[in-house]
Amino acid sequence: MDPNTDTIVAVATAAGTGGVGIVRLSGPRALAIADAMAGPGVSPRRASHRRFHDAAGGTIDDGLVLAFPAPRSFTGEDVVELQGHGGPVVLQALVLRCCELGARQ
């Protein structure tokens, strides 16, 4: 993987359990990964309530998806936030699914 062109994923909220947890994707595959997990058609800069799916089509969690296409994001890259429930097991499952779809931690 090229660190200059790959897509990265990480939990963006504090460690531990909380009401809401955020997983953030940044890079050229961020929007495609979000489409694969939450379905296509996320409108830029608008929160969409979606279910986050695993490889078999089962539900990992449900929450909000926000997409910030390049160049109009903080980093200048495509950025996606998956905002789900704040348990560490759920957040790790979302990160692992993003990695299955081509992101790296």
Side-chain angles (χ1 to χ4, degrees), residues 13-88:
T13 45
T17 301
V20 175
I22 299 172
V23 171
R24 187 171 293 134
L25 290 151
S26 183
R29 293 209 23 86
L31 298 172
I33 291 170
D35 285 352
M37 289 181 66
V42 174
S43 297
R45 291 168 291 286
R46 294 187 188 268
S48 298
H49 180 252
R50 301 290 178 102
R51 292 190 189 278
F52 308 131
H53 299 285
D54 61 21
T59 301
I60 298 170
D61 194 12
D62 71 315
L64 299 176
V65 179
L66 292 103
F68 304 94
R72 295 180 59 200
S73 71
F74 182 75
T75 63
E77 299 180 306
D78 290 338
V79 174
V80 172
E81 286 189 358
L82 306 174
Q83 299 183 5
H85 294 91

Side-chain angles (χ1 to χ4, degrees), residues 2 5 22 39 53 66 77 90 96-97 99 102:
D2 180 350
T5 61
I22 299 172
H53 299 285
L66 292 103
E77 299 180 306
V90 171
L96 289 175
R97 181 64 181 137
C99 290

